[in-house]
Amino acid sequence: GAVVSQHPSRVICKSGTSVKIECRSLDFQATTMFWYRQFPKKSLMLMATSNEGSKATYEQGVEKDKFLINHASLTLSTLTVTSAHPEDSSFYICSARDYRQGPRGYTFGSGTRLTVV
Amino acid sequence: ILNVEQSPQSLHVQEGDSTNFTCSFPSSNFYALHWYRWETAKSPEALFVMTLNGDEKKKGRISATLNTKEGYSYLYIKGSQPEDSATYLCVGGAGNMLTFGGGTRLMVKP
């Protein structure tokens, strides 16, 4: 079946630095990639939606200059947390959309646990 | 779909017990209802996607039903096994958008 590889699985960084998270679709072309964030004891919340070759659409309250999303190819999307602060510590997970599979065509990465110290 | 609620938040059962969880969602603007099984440090695994009122899906010992008129879905696990221990996510789909419930964390004791 479809697989999305997400790296790194865990990262610890210092305040003020930037962290890049990658998601790759391994055996299908991901026209659309979704990025989610999950705070402790909360549901996964959509941060942004990106389509290959175009700018990402950010959800209300998500700073586009802080969370840079690049979806330059049909198999790779990256999320860069810039100038990270401790409040950015969270669980980030991507999901790739394979429209050929209709409503079931969402494949998730395994997530990245970011800790900013 | 703006609000997807799951209950219970967590559940402890003994091996061999059968169990079920509930997912509720607004019945208006419904498109699809997904169930995922999510083990720690792994990707959420798609179990079912249902779109029609009255849909019933089954995969081994796990089954799910959908009632779009009243806005709920049930997930059933028959004869729980320790390997069923995971978080079960209910996700509402409307267009391209997914709205996640908070999940039900199931722990099956041997």
Side-chain angles (χ1 to χ4, degrees):
Chain A
V3 175
V4 171
S5 174
Q6 182 171 346
H7 295 281
S9 58
R10 288 181 178 273
V11 59
I12 300 173
C13 71
K14 292 183 178 180
S15 290
T17 61
S18 296
V19 173
K20 181 185 283 188
I21 302 169
E22 287 190 353
C23 275
R24 291 180 185 273
S25 57
L26 298 186
D27 47 6
F28 68 101
Q29 294 182 331
T31 310
T32 303
M33 193 77 81
F34 304 92
W35 287 93
Y36 299 89
R37 178 168 57 182
Q38 184 180 36
F39 290 109
K41 300 191 178 183
K42 299 289 185 182
S43 304
L44 286 167
M45 295 297 292
L46 181 66
M47 298 175 66
T49 302
S50 71
N51 291 296
E52 181 265 338
S54 60
K55 290 183 179 180
T57 302
Y58 290 80
E59 295 300 302
Q60 193 171 9
V62 179
E63 300 174 56
K64 63 179 182 180
D65 294 330
K66 181 170 185 60
F67 298 99
L68 301 180
I69 291 173
N70 185 287
H71 193 166
S73 78
L74 285 170
T75 59
L76 174 64
S77 179
T78 61
L79 167 67
T80 302
V81 182
T82 63
S83 187
H85 289 155
E87 56 264 31
D88 298 325
S89 298
S90 187
F91 181 82
Y92 295 85
I93 191 167
C94 63
S95 172
R97 186 84 164 91
D98 181 0
Y99 289 97
R100 298 169 303 172
Q101 297 188 54
R104 65 173 59 249
Y106 295 90
T107 302
F108 289 83
S110 53
T112 297
R113 175 75 59 190
L114 171 64
T115 303
V116 184
V117 297
Chain B
I1 294 182
L2 297 178
N3 195 25
V4 177
E5 301 281 345
Q6 287 187 250
S7 64
Q9 283 190 328
S10 64
L11 189 59
H12 290 75
V13 301
Q14 287 294 137
E15 181 176 357
D17 287 350
S18 293
T19 187
N20 64 85
F21 327 132
T22 304
C23 173
S24 61
F25 53 89
S27 54
S28 59
N29 200 30
F30 173 84
Y31 176 64
L33 194 289
H34 305 247
W35 281 101
Y36 286 87
R37 178 175 178 275
W38 195 5
E39 291 184 70
T40 303
K42 295 186 178 179
S43 303
E45 172 197 355
L47 291 174
F48 308 112
V49 57
M50 295 177 286
T51 56
L52 299 176
N53 184 46
D55 261 353
E56 292 187 25
K57 295 284 179 81
K58 188 175 181 185
K59 186 176 182 179
R61 295 179 290 100
I62 305 176
S63 59
T65 60
L66 178 66
N67 183 321
T68 61
K69 292 184 178 179
E70 296 182 36
Y72 65 83
S73 175
Y74 293 136
L75 186 79
Y76 301 91
I77 301 179
K78 184 178 179 182
S80 303
Q81 300 296 309
E83 57 264 32
D84 295 329
S85 297
T87 296
Y88 291 82
L89 290 176
C90 173
V91 187
N96 220 14
M97 296 288 292
L98 295 182
T99 302
F100 290 79
T104 292
R105 183 170 173 79
L106 173 68
M107 284 154 280
V108 182
K109 300 176 186 175

